[in-house]
């Protein structure tokens, strides 16, 4: 009969903590939160996805199955942890914003929602700690996703995903060709960054017909230039009255739950600028990265 030897380490305890926190977050929300809708579904997905992925990583590592995994185990766990931290962070913001803001009642339902929000925040901290424990240190030979540019690729794709959610509900990019260009920037950069993450996790970078390092630097430079244009264009055509924009927040926005359409336009502008800075940091770090061929 095979035996599983549990090796205690800080990383294992952090993953177990994240597993418990995410399990409690979605269990409490589903059991007594008394909520529904798209934002509720998104929050549950964030917690359930993080829980399932963490359970998978723990089982593989405790059973010693890393060499049999169909993905690069130098890249997969930290990539997942980074995505999980961002997913839980978004749920920690969205869930209380939509289901606790403005709530005046004090009952068991409200307590369940508060508990889910608290455990979501704890899970976010746990995943950030996991990323800090597993990321590559200066001078260390590690998988690309464990380096700063690799982690930035995860952030780039996640921020772009949030932008997609905001510009599509309601659709806010089809009123002018310049705004369609912004949407093209978001899509092109998202697809390429996501492809890089998939190639690194799947260990497919060696099949490229050109040097991977040069491709990363060239792409980072192109993405910086494209996002710079979007960072300038989006606020001009959404908040400048000369281009049919609205610079003031409508009064009715303060009475509803969550974000109104104007808030989402501001969020897109902020996230576009944020992604521009992330791509700029990616460009700087990619130029300094040294690739080692085994």
């Amino acid at each position: 009969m095979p035996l599983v030897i549990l090796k205690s380490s800080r990383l294992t305890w952090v993953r177990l903590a994240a597993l418990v926190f995410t399990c409690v977050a979605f269990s409490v929300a589903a059991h007594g939160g008394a909520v529904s809708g798209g934002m509720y579904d998104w929050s549950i997905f964030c917690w359930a996805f993080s829980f399932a992925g963490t359970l998978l990583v723990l089982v593989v590592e405790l059973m010693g199955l890393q060499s049999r995994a169909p993905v690069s185990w130098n890249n997969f766990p930290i990539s997942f942890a980074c995505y999980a931290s961002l997913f839980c962070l978004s749920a920690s913001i969205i869930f209380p914003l939509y289901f606790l803001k403005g709530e005046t009642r004090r009952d068991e339902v409200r307590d369940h929602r508060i508990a889910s929000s608290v455990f979501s925040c704890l899970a976010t901290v746990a995943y950030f700690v996991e990323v800090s424990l597993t990321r590559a240190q200066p001078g260390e030979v590690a998988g690309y996703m464990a380096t700063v540019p690799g982690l930035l690729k995860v952030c780039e794709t996640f921020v772009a995903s949030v932008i997609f959610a905001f510009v599509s509900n309601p659709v806010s990019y089809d009123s002018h060709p310049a705004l369609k260009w912004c949407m093209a920037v978001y899509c092109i950069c998202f697809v390429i960054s996501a492809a890089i993450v998939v190639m690194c996790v799947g260990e497919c970078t060696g099949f490229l017909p050109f040097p991977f390092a040069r491709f990363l630097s060239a792409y980072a430079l192109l993405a910086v230039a494209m996002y710079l244009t979007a960072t300038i264009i989006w606020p001009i055509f959404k908040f400048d009255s000369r281009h049919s924009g609205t610079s003031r927040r409508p009064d009715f926005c303060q009475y509803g739950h969550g974000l109104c359409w104007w808030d989402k336009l501001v969020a897109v502008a902020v996230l576009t600028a944020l992604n521009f800075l992330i791509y700029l940091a990616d460009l700087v770090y990619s130029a300094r990265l040294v690739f080692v061929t085994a």
Side-chain angles (χ1 to χ4, degrees), residues 206-255:
F207 296 102
L208 294 175
F210 40 77
F212 186 55
R214 292 185 181 179
F215 167 69
L216 290 175
S217 297
Y219 164 61
L221 180 60
L222 176 64
V224 166
M226 294 176 69
Y227 256 93
L228 177 60
T229 62
T231 302
I232 298 172
I233 290 173
W234 185 268
I236 291 177
F237 285 88
K238 283 302 180 182
F239 305 118
D240 192 338
S241 58
R242 292 173 296 179
H243 296 89
S244 303
T246 305
S247 58
R248 291 187 57 188
R249 187 173 189 253
D251 294 334
F252 64 82
C253 286
Q254 60 183 324
Y255 300 111

Side-chain angles (χ1 to χ4, degrees), residues 29-91:
H31 173 69
V35 290
S36 61
M39 294 299 102
Y40 167 74
D41 294 338
W42 169 254
S43 299
I44 290 293
F45 166 77
C46 292
W47 298 324
F49 169 82
S50 303
F51 171 82
T54 303
L55 181 61
L56 174 64
V57 170
L58 282 170
V59 169
V60 170
E61 296 212 337
L62 293 177
M63 297 293 292
L65 302 175
Q66 296 93 323
S67 60
R68 299 184 181 182
V71 296
S72 169
W73 208 252
N74 290 327
N75 290 306
F76 175 76
I78 190 169
S79 300
F80 169 78
C82 192
Y83 273 118
S85 65
L86 296 172
F87 276 131
C88 289
L89 176 62
S90 69

Side-chain angles (χ1 to χ4, degrees), residues 26 35 40 97 116 127 138 155 170 233 249 260 268 275-276 290:
F26 74 75
V35 290
Y40 167 74
L97 180 64
S116 292
Y127 282 118
C155 296
I233 290 173
R249 187 173 189 253
C260 70
V268 171
N275 233 8
F276 165 71
V290 177

Side-chain angles (χ1 to χ4, degrees), residues 130-184:
E130 180 181 347
V131 171
S132 67
L133 290 175
T134 54
R135 71 181 181 90
Q137 301 300 321
E140 178 184 355
V141 178
Y144 175 75
M145 295 307 300
T147 65
V148 174
L151 296 175
L152 290 176
K153 290 291 186 301
V154 173
C155 296
E156 291 159 6
T157 56
F158 180 81
V159 172
S161 300
V162 178
I163 291 177
F164 292 147
F166 284 146
V167 300
S168 60
N169 184 29
V171 176
S172 56
Y173 58 85
D174 59 350
S175 59
H176 195 279
L179 297 175
K180 294 180 180 179
W181 161 253
C182 293
M183 189 62 182

